[in-house]
Amino acid sequence: MNTKYTYYSKIARPLLALSIVVSSVGMAEAATETCRDSAKVKIETLAARRAGKNIVVTMRLGMDSLKLKSDMLIAYTPFVSDGTNTARMRPVLITGRNEHYRYLREGNKSYPDAEEVWRRKGSKGEGLKYEYSYVMPFEEWMDGARLYVDEDLCGCGDELADNTLVGLPLDFDPTKNLLTAFVTPQVEAQKVREEKGSAFIDFPVDKIVLYPDYRKNPRELAKIIETIEKVKKDKNLTITHIDIHGYASPESPYDHNAWLAENRAKTLKNYVRNLMSMDNSLFSVSSTPEDWAGLKKYVSESNISNKEAILDIVNSDMKPDPKEWKIKKTYPTEYRFMLSTWYPALRHSDYVITYTVRPFTVEEAKEILKTKPKQLSLNEMFMVAQTYKPGSAEYNNVFATAARMFPEDETACLNAANIALNNRDFTTAEHFLKKAGSSPQADLARGTLALLKHDYTTAEQLLQKAADAGIPEASNNLKILEQMKAMGE
């Protein structure tokens, strides 16, 4: 086989095909039966590659079965089109003997810039191939367009639609094919949940008797009662325990405050138990004589004078009574402010209502998710997500809700990070990956994020680690990493 005016385009960097290679592409219906009988050229491979600011189109023509008459020629012209824009490439002419010499003398008006291949008569056997390569500037519209080949069996510039071979989709963004690995949460054997709150019950000075109508007590008692009633009335919930923890403020002797905190908590417990007609075995009572942690928080968040010095005393190893006396004596103005402004809030009762939640079917869980997602387990939420199309708003919302309900759970955070990665929301992905643990799936997610941010060294280390742990998605992403390196991205 002789080749005349063969055109090869070269680029400086290595090339990598982007998953659009096709073998043995069949030819379209011929314009004439005579041409069809003789032309048996096969387009064995057709590929497009992104190389920096260019794309490279390659094509292999197989002519093992071609019997071309002396005065015949066939033309193949690759082109890219999105339906609106079209970019044509250098054509290839396969000529018989007479057409070959005519081409040398006169060229071809229909294809003036073609590459010519002379298929000598009598050349037979395997290995009769022609390798075509063409470089053209990349334009944004080409990503998502299609690559076609026009087949002109008479070499006369015929571009009828039925002479166009089936187009191949072009995808020059390999990151579209990145994969993430969602983790199925473990089934929660028993769903145990809590409702918590603080009530600031007023007791007369040095008294442990509770007066429901005293000062702000009606409002504060209502907070506890309403929380218990809300749980009791829900048919899906069963209360298993109620704990009431009493606190006193630091003024007065420590031992007296210990007695006040304990007995006021007991008084509150008895009031709630009797009012709600609940079994005494459901309740427990505990107390903290003086709420120094609460006082420390108030001081730390304030602009009070001598703030740091007061904090040093609060944080010291002194016993409670000397500590309180030193603040009172050394900083009397600040102490009076603390006594009137912060100390009342340090006399509070914290309550925790513990309950169990019955299991839900997937259909039940779908409805619960809309109004009371706290009642669902992570596994139940995951099962709901599987009923939606991956990437849909409903699908993404389930994982976002899971992360909101279980903000410290590694699986919830990892799955939420995967949603963010799929949406190319790097900030959110980084936030959740901080709490996603160190599993191979987390390595995959972190490696994928590094890849998307073009930190290829970190990406390769993490993806290889995940691949070595048997995560198939990591192997896929490693291949895409190599593609992006080859493309100079």
Side-chain angles (χ1 to χ4, degrees):
M1 178 179 72
N2 290 344
T3 302
K4 188 66 174 178
Y5 302 125
T6 302
Y7 176 80
Y8 291 96
S9 299
K10 298 180 180 179
I11 58 175
R13 57 175 63 89
L15 303 175
L16 197 61
L18 300 185
S19 303
I20 56 173
V21 175
V22 174
S23 298
S24 301
V25 178
M27 296 194 299
E29 289 299 317
T32 67
E33 289 300 321
T34 302
C35 291
R36 169 55 65 200
D37 290 341
S38 300
K40 293 185 178 179
V41 177
K42 289 184 179 180
I43 300 178
E44 295 181 347
T45 62
L46 179 64
R49 304 163 178 170
R50 177 77 184 276
K53 296 181 180 179
N54 298 316
I55 64 170
V56 177
V57 173
T58 57
M59 177 171 61
R60 180 186 300 130
L61 301 179
M63 298 173 284
D64 297 350
S65 303
L66 175 62
K67 295 180 181 180
L68 194 61
K69 293 181 181 180
S70 179
D71 58 353
M72 284 185 61
L73 67 83
I74 311 169
Y76 291 93
T77 308
F79 68 96
V80 176
S81 177
D82 66 353
T84 301
N85 304 285
T86 299
R88 303 185 72 81
M89 296 159 225
R90 189 183 297 273
V92 177
L93 296 182
I94 302 174
T95 60
R97 183 178 183 279
N98 291 345
E99 281 297 324
H100 167 63
Y101 288 112
R102 183 179 294 112
Y103 184 82
L104 292 181
R105 294 192 307 270
E106 306 170 7
N108 186 292
K109 293 181 180 180
S110 298
Y111 301 101
D113 61 343
E115 304 178 20
E116 193 233 356
V117 180
W118 177 18
R119 177 66 166 84
R120 288 189 176 186
K121 184 178 180 181
S123 299
K124 296 180 180 180
E126 296 182 359
L128 298 174
K129 315 291 183 187
Y130 180 74
E131 301 288 347
Y132 172 94
S133 180
Y134 188 81
V135 176
M136 65 190 307
F138 171 75
E139 298 181 48
E140 292 298 327
W141 64 264
M142 293 178 179
D143 195 3
R146 299 179 76 85
L147 173 63
Y148 300 90
V149 178
D150 265 343
E151 181 187 56
D152 179 1
L153 298 177
C154 296
C156 55
D158 180 11
E159 297 180 2
L160 296 177
D162 59 3
N163 284 1
T164 299
L165 302 184
V166 176
L168 304 173
L170 300 183
D171 183 357
F172 293 119
D173 180 8
T175 64
K176 293 178 182 177
N177 299 314
L178 287 170
L179 299 178
T180 51
F182 288 81
V183 176
T184 303
Q186 293 183 349
V187 175
E188 200 172 346
Q190 186 177 52
K191 294 184 290 182
V192 179
R193 303 288 184 267
E194 294 178 342
E195 297 292 338
K196 300 179 180 180
S198 289
F200 299 93
I201 307 299
D202 273 329
F203 289 85
V205 177
D206 287 340
K207 303 293 183 180
I208 60 173
V209 178
L210 191 157
Y211 296 97
D213 297 325
Y214 184 63
R215 294 183 177 177
K216 298 179 181 179
N217 285 352
R219 181 188 67 190
E220 297 302 308
L221 289 170
K223 291 195 298 187
I224 304 176
I225 302 306
E226 288 173 4
T227 303
I228 295 175
E229 285 184 337
K230 182 177 71 174
V231 177
K232 283 185 68 176
K233 290 179 178 179
D234 194 321
K235 62 181 180 181
N236 298 321
L237 313 180
T238 301
I239 295 177
T240 59
H241 188 73
I242 298 175
D243 179 71
I244 295 177
H245 190 106
Y247 292 83
S249 56
E251 85 275 18
S252 299
Y254 182 86
D255 291 343
H256 182 64
N257 287 334
W259 179 81
L260 285 175
E262 178 183 0
N263 286 283
R264 285 174 174 176
K266 289 179 179 178
T267 299
L268 178 59
K269 182 265 292 185
N270 289 330
Y271 175 83
V272 171
R273 180 181 65 82
N274 291 329
L275 184 66
M276 301 299 294
S277 301
M278 301 180 73
D279 193 287
N280 189 59
S281 63
L282 289 175
F283 289 83
S284 65
V285 173
S286 55
S287 60
T288 297
E290 296 178 356
D291 189 3
W292 284 96
L295 179 61
K296 176 182 177 180
K297 186 174 185 295
Y298 278 117
V299 176
S300 298
E301 296 176 354
S302 75
N303 294 316
I304 192 173
S305 300
N306 299 301
K307 171 181 173 178
E308 297 303 325
I310 295 173
L311 275 177
D312 287 341
I313 298 174
V314 171
N315 292 326
S316 70
D317 294 332
M318 297 173 63
K319 290 185 178 181
D321 287 344
K323 183 185 298 188
E324 200 244 348
W325 175 253
K326 185 173 183 179
I327 296 173
K328 181 178 181 179
K329 181 179 180 181
T330 310
Y331 306 104
T333 300
E334 289 81 358
Y335 179 81
R336 285 193 296 273
F337 172 82
M338 293 161 56
L339 186 65
S340 62
T341 306
W342 296 337
Y343 274 37
L346 300 179
R347 307 166 198 137
H348 59 97
S349 299
D350 291 352
Y351 53 93
V352 179
I353 302 165
T354 305
Y355 56 92
T356 58
V357 188
R358 74 173 180 86
F360 298 108
T361 66
V362 173
E363 291 305 314
E364 288 175 328
K366 275 189 175 183
E367 295 304 313
I368 293 292
L369 184 72
K370 299 174 184 177
T371 55
K372 302 175 182 177
K374 186 177 180 179
Q375 295 185 8
L376 298 178
S377 68
L378 270 177
N379 184 269
E380 287 171 329
M381 292 186 187
F382 189 87
M383 293 300 106
V384 169
Q386 304 316 299
T387 67
Y388 299 119
K389 181 181 179 181
S392 66
E394 296 84 357
Y395 182 86
N396 293 348
N397 179 64
V398 175
F399 288 106
T401 303
R404 190 171 68 252
M405 292 295 102
F406 300 89
E408 303 303 320
D409 186 272
E410 292 181 357
T411 298
C413 290
L414 173 58
N415 288 340
N418 286 334
I419 293 294
L421 282 173
N422 291 339
N423 291 331
R424 301 299 186 261
D425 182 350
F426 299 163
T427 300
T428 301
E430 287 176 340
H431 167 74
F432 283 118
L433 284 174
K434 291 177 182 178
K435 298 183 288 182
S438 56
S439 66
Q441 292 86 350
D443 288 333
L444 165 67
R446 294 187 178 99
T448 301
L449 176 61
L451 186 156
L452 287 167
K453 297 177 72 174
H454 301 280
D455 180 359
Y456 293 154
T457 300
T458 301
E460 185 169 12
Q461 292 173 349
L462 291 169
L463 292 176
Q464 190 60 59
K465 183 179 178 182
D468 292 342
I471 305 300
E473 293 86 354
S475 299
N476 173 83
N477 292 2
L478 279 170
K479 293 177 182 177
I480 293 174
L481 172 60
E482 293 306 314
Q483 290 179 10
M484 294 180 69
K485 287 182 179 179
M487 290 164 55
E489 291 291 325

